[in-house]
Every structure is written in structure tokens, then in C-alpha cells.
Amino acid sequence: MRREVTAPRPNIKARMQDIGLWPRDDNPYYDETVAYVFSESQIETLYEASLALEHMIGEAVDHVIAKKRFDELGIPQALATYAAACRRKGHPSVYGRMDLAYDGIHPPKLLEYNADTPTALFEAAVLQWEWLKERFPDCDQFNSIHEALIAAWAKLKNQSGLSRLTLAGMLEEDDDRMTIAYMEDVAHQAGWRTIPTPISELGFDGRGFVDAEGVYVQALFKLYPWDWMAQEAFFDRVVELDLAVMESAWRVIASSKGLLPILWELFPGHPNLLPAGFNNDPALGPRVSKPVLGREGSDIQFIDVPGLPPAPEGPYASQKRIYQAYQPLPCFDGWYPIIGSWIIDGEACGVGVREDQDKVTGLGAKFRPHRMEG
């Protein structure tokens, strides 16, 4: 595994402007001036670790439901009840993204799992693949995300018998807008009729939810976290109607960082897990404190880690917290990469690399393409 400086495609700015991803400050999130290179054996290691983690996470979700440990995960009771019902009914999952610490030498370690509202999908599935085909056509890439998504949506359409998919999120946000536009494209290729709708424009007429066209919602893809939805006035209506929603409500269990201590409890010493607990135990050694339902690196605190002072409080400071053994990220030229491993319909289908000059990957991160070499 190495980081290399590369010449970006000469047309990349125009390409990103066409799809609305080039910012006004000319400092894009997706950046081809640097790429990561993996060996085949390193990619195999990431693939196998991702599959093992997905299996363990499924067992941990079922454990939480069986033992009713929702409070430890910060999940309110009404949402917990609905999430458990969705899991028992076998509601499917389309996608999720595991964030892994990996240096190419030691086993990948799970930092957290965004199983509810993951973004950076289009960059991983499409942009870095286009880069590979144009810049390194003789190389390969761990990336079957696009094809897997189409297959997952086609499977869901066949199983549900539904045909109309409403895609909702905060479309004024770049991440939401791009992810929804891309998810609309793959769902459409899978045979769905797709209707993007700002989530603020979803309405309820007393019988059901209606989308931007005034038509009842059959199936919903949403980029709005379940713990936020549970605080909305319409949440009880979602439960009553039991809409086909992707991701399903049970995914809030998989997405809560409160699952990390439970994973360590169920699978102690597993090479792809980090020691974690619900208490600030000095026995963990240098450790990281995380809000159970935090996002985008907010409110992460380092404890007993030399050279890393406490971070300022953010929007999730009042949440329950977990404590995870500190895992230093590899450092390449002053940048700290994490591996986003994409799980589509339960299968590991590709990776994307995000890197930051901060040891917490946040809003200042860059997405870098990757390639494989023998």
C-alpha cells in the first residue's frame, strides 16, 4: 500500500462541474492529484475482513434485539421497537460503508460502520473507476459497486412487487444531492420509476405519504438518519404504514457506535476489531471517546493519547458515548487515510480512500482514487 502523486485527467474539472461537484473555491472533495496503490493480497485482506465484519455485525444486531440493549446504543424506545420488528420481518439492506484503519501490513480494524446514511458513494462507484479506465487501463481496482447496486435494486423490485421509488434527502446539501442522483440512476437502470423529492416536501394527507408529484409513496430511499426521523411528528405514521424504506430502521442498530463494545464483547480479540467499552476504562490504554450516533467526526475526543489535546464540543456532546482503543492511522506525507469498504446487499464490493490532514476524518477530507498492481 502506497500513496503516489498522479496527474489528474485534464477534463476532470469540466466533468465535475457538469455533475455539480466542483466547488466555488476550486478545492474539490474528489481529488485525482494523489492516488493509493494496493497489491492483490492487500485487497484480498480488505475483502475478507469486510465479509467477516459484516457477519459479526449481523450477529451483534440480533443480540441487541434479543437482549433489548437499545438504550446502550442511544436508540429511543419507539424507534427500537420498530427497528426490531423490521429485522424480524427480514427487511433487506441495500448498502453500507465500513470505515477501516489499514496500513497494508497489519489486519484492518473497524473504526465504525455507517449503515444508515452513507455518502461518498458516487465517487467510489463511478469517478474513481472512470479515472482507472482513462489513466491506468491495464490495471484493476477493487470496485464492483455500480453493478452490485443495480443488482440489489433489481432484486428488491422483484421481491417487493413495487415499481415506484421516491428518493428523499436534504437536496441542498452536496453529499445528499449527489448520492440521491446516483442512487436514482442505478435504481432506474434496475427498472424502478424514480422520483427525487426534498425531504421537506414529503407530505401526509391522512392516508399516506405523498411525494413531489402528489403521488403516494410506495418505496422510499432516504438520506435522513433514523434517529432524526424518530424525533419527527410523522414518525408514528411511518411505523403505522410500515413503508418499504431503504435503509430499513434496523440499520440504526448496525450504525450506532454503541455496537462497537458489543462486538468486542461477543468476539473478544478478533483481529479486525478494536477493544471497546461503555465505560472510560484506563485499561483500554490510549483511547477514543465517540458519541453513539455522531456523524462526520464531530465530538470525537482522544484520551491519554500523547500530542492530541481535547477537541471542542460539537452538536453531539450530550449523547451517550463509547470508548474505543486508539488505533493510529497510517501517515503518508502528512495525510491520514481511512478505507471505506462498501457492502452492497451483504457483499463486500469495493473500497474508496478518504484522507485528511487531521487524525479525525472530517469535512476537510479528500477522496482519492485507488488501483491494484500485481
Side-chain angles (χ1 to χ4, degrees):
M1 176 180 173
R2 70 177 188 272
R3 183 181 193 266
E4 65 178 16
V5 176
T6 65
R9 290 173 287 166
N11 64 336
I12 185 59
K13 181 174 181 178
R15 168 79 171 110
M16 293 178 67
Q17 285 174 331
D18 285 343
I19 57 178
L21 275 183
W22 195 269
R24 293 179 180 177
D25 62 2
D26 282 346
N27 186 25
Y29 166 60
Y30 174 82
D31 189 344
E32 297 179 352
T33 60
V34 165
Y36 278 82
V37 183
F38 298 89
S39 69
E40 291 184 14
S41 64
Q42 289 167 339
I43 290 298
E44 184 66 23
T45 294
L46 287 167
Y47 172 76
E48 292 176 354
S50 300
L51 285 184
L53 288 165
E54 180 71 2
H55 177 75
M56 290 187 289
I57 288 166
E59 288 196 27
V61 167
D62 291 334
H63 169 86
V64 168
I65 293 171
K67 301 299 182 181
K68 297 180 170 59
R69 298 182 67 176
F70 303 103
D71 186 61
E72 293 171 283
L73 276 64
I75 301 173
Q77 187 56 53
L79 176 56
T81 300
Y82 184 53
C86 290
R87 179 68 171 176
R88 283 193 292 267
K89 292 176 183 177
H91 286 195
S93 163
V94 173
Y95 79 139
R97 190 196 73 229
M98 296 176 184
D99 287 343
L100 308 175
Y102 183 54
D103 61 3
I105 301 171
H106 302 94
K109 302 289 188 181
L110 177 67
L111 300 175
E112 55 191 64
Y113 187 18
N114 191 332
D116 188 6
T117 59
T119 55
L121 178 65
F122 181 73
E123 297 90 323
V126 177
L127 287 180
Q128 68 168 344
W129 182 256
E130 293 176 344
W131 167 85
L132 182 78
K133 294 295 100 179
E134 293 183 32
R135 293 280 287 108
F136 298 95
D138 296 328
C139 292
D140 204 354
Q141 186 179 86
F142 180 25
N143 188 0
S144 60
I145 300 168
H146 183 75
E147 296 80 7
L149 282 170
I150 295 173
W153 281 112
K155 176 182 173 181
L156 188 60
K157 183 177 183 294
N158 292 334
Q159 290 179 341
S160 68
L162 302 174
S163 61
R164 181 184 172 92
L165 177 66
T166 303
L167 302 101
M170 293 180 286
L171 301 186
E172 68 278 8
E173 301 289 338
D174 288 346
D175 281 351
D176 277 27
R177 185 177 65 254
M178 182 51 56
T179 302
I180 284 175
Y182 177 56
M183 202 63 92
E184 179 186 11
D185 176 66
V186 291
H188 182 76
Q189 291 188 56
W192 290 85
R193 183 186 174 199
T194 54
I195 302 92
T197 300
I199 198 160
S200 59
E201 294 184 15
L202 279 179
F204 186 78
D205 70 354
R207 292 184 298 168
F209 288 93
V210 293
D211 60 27
E213 295 182 351
V215 177
Y216 285 118
V217 173
Q218 290 185 354
L220 176 68
F221 171 79
K222 53 87 191 166
L223 277 183
Y224 196 72
W226 274 107
D227 51 301
W228 294 6
M229 288 179 67
Q231 301 175 42
E232 299 283 357
F234 60 71
F235 177 70
D236 289 345
R237 303 296 188 182
V238 174
V239 174
E240 290 171 12
L241 293 169
D242 195 22
L243 292 173
V245 182
M246 279 63 67
E247 290 293 298
S248 177
W250 69 264
R251 297 288 280 174
V252 73
I253 304 171
S255 201
S256 171
K257 296 171 190 65
L259 200 68
L260 297 170
I262 292 174
L263 282 165
W264 187 250
E265 175 186 318
L266 296 176
F267 306 99
H270 192 280
N272 299 129
L273 295 174
L274 291 167
F278 290 105
N279 299 313
N280 187 9
D281 185 354
L284 287 171
R287 54 204 180 277
V288 180
S289 169
K290 299 178 176 181
V292 290
L293 295 171
R295 290 173 181 82
E296 297 177 333
S298 294
D299 289 301
I300 290 179
Q301 300 287 338
F302 294 94
I303 302 171
D304 296 338
V305 179
L308 290 177
E313 288 189 354
Y316 307 107
S318 62
Q319 284 191 6
K320 291 178 180 291
R321 305 185 76 82
I322 63 98
Y323 300 85
Q324 184 183 52
Y326 171 62
Q327 174 66 40
L329 296 176
C331 183
F332 295 88
D333 302 321
W335 290 82
Y336 300 92
I338 62 169
I339 309 299
S341 181
W342 289 94
I343 308 296
I344 312 297
D345 191 23
E347 178 69 28
C349 291
V351 298
V353 182
R354 291 175 297 147
E355 62 173 11
D356 204 316
Q357 290 179 299
D358 192 344
K359 293 183 180 179
V360 175
T361 307
L363 295 176
K366 297 282 191 182
F367 186 102
R368 310 293 196 182
H370 81 276
R371 62 184 178 92
M372 294 166 50
E373 61 182 13

